[in-house]
Amino acid sequence: MADSRVRWRWLVLPGVALAVWAMVHTDGGSPRGGAPAPAATPTAAQSQPPGGGPTTARPGPAYDPADCAAAVRRYADRAGVAPRLVMAILYNEAYKPHDPAFERAWQRYKADAAFGVANMHRATFDEVKRGRDFAGRKWDELPDDRNLAIEAAAWYLHDLAGQLPAHRSASYSRDELLALGYNAGAGNMRAFARGVPPGSQARSYLDRLHDNWGKADRAVAP
């Protein structure tokens, strides 16, 4: 799950991040300066869409959330959430580079950093995967597998939806509340649903979501 408190670090400390990234690429992409970390090796059922198809490619440094449209539609449908919402969240979370080596290098600087194109923290991933078809996967596979990151994000939104109060303020739509929950956590989401106004960070996340609705709609259109 994304934490908007992290976002300023990417603006204030770009030199540190780039230096760490360069260091990792210099030592061959190893997270600890030793042998290069192996790519994730999911099973065929985990790496192929229904009906077959190519295995999930390891993401490179260039990243456009729209490239993930097929996976977004597939996993959003399975989780019972709106594809536009999942895609808009990917756009919201694209503020940092999603190169696997960069993400692991950043974790060396900030141990509780989020992983994957949906910026999910370890505790959230470990909770969401329980009882699901990716229960055997690990959080540290997220940088290498966009499909896994999107699947986990879609099911997290599904789980958040189950925690919305039956009666809520008319201030925000269901999808707006789910996005706020993705960013700020379930407890804050429920407070916002009761009418508590979001703070500046959550409000900024929602504003960016609104800015990304149009792109998200176009990306997931059939």
Side-chain angles (χ1 to χ4, degrees):
M1 179 187 70
D3 184 343
S4 59
R5 293 174 296 180
V6 176
R7 187 167 182 263
W8 70 271
R9 297 176 186 269
W10 298 98
L11 303 176
V12 177
L13 300 173
V16 174
L18 289 172
V20 175
W21 181 86
M23 176 178 65
V24 168
H25 277 71
T26 299
D27 66 25
S30 167
R32 303 192 183 278
T41 53
T43 65
Q46 293 166 327
S47 61
Q48 292 183 0
T55 57
T56 302
R58 184 173 172 174
Y63 168 62
D64 180 355
D67 294 339
C68 301
V72 167
R73 289 191 296 266
R74 180 166 65 250
Y75 293 121
D77 181 66
R78 291 182 186 178
V81 295
R84 180 181 76 153
L85 173 61
V86 178
M87 180 60 75
I89 284 176
L90 291 186
Y91 275 113
N92 267 33
E93 303 299 339
Y95 62 84
K96 74 178 185 182
H98 284 297
D99 172 70
F102 188 103
E103 290 198 17
R104 291 190 170 93
W106 184 255
Q107 195 200 24
R108 292 168 63 180
Y109 175 77
K110 187 175 186 299
D112 64 344
F115 266 176
V117 293
N119 283 338
M120 185 167 283
H121 290 282
R122 185 193 299 269
T124 302
F125 179 79
D126 287 345
E127 180 179 349
V128 169
K129 74 177 186 177
R130 292 175 187 167
R132 303 228 155 94
D133 61 3
F134 56 100
R137 306 295 297 277
K138 296 180 179 178
W139 171 77
D140 58 12
E141 295 178 61
L142 290 176
D144 303 286
D145 192 337
R146 291 177 182 168
N147 281 7
L148 177 63
I150 293 165
E151 183 175 18
W155 281 109
Y156 182 49
L157 290 166
H158 169 276
D159 292 348
L160 286 170
Q163 300 179 59
L164 283 171
H167 303 287
R168 53 183 186 264
S169 166
S171 300
Y172 301 104
S173 70
R174 175 180 180 271
D175 283 355
E176 287 173 329
L177 287 169
L178 294 181
L180 286 168
Y182 193 93
N183 175 247
N188 284 320
M189 177 191 71
R190 290 192 294 270
F192 303 149
R194 294 192 301 269
V196 175
S200 60
Q201 292 170 346
R203 182 70 243 181
S204 175
Y205 193 86
L206 190 59
D207 288 343
R208 286 186 287 123
L209 188 86
H210 292 158
D211 290 341
N212 288 325
W213 277 144
K215 289 190 294 185
D217 269 328
R218 292 189 293 272
V220 299

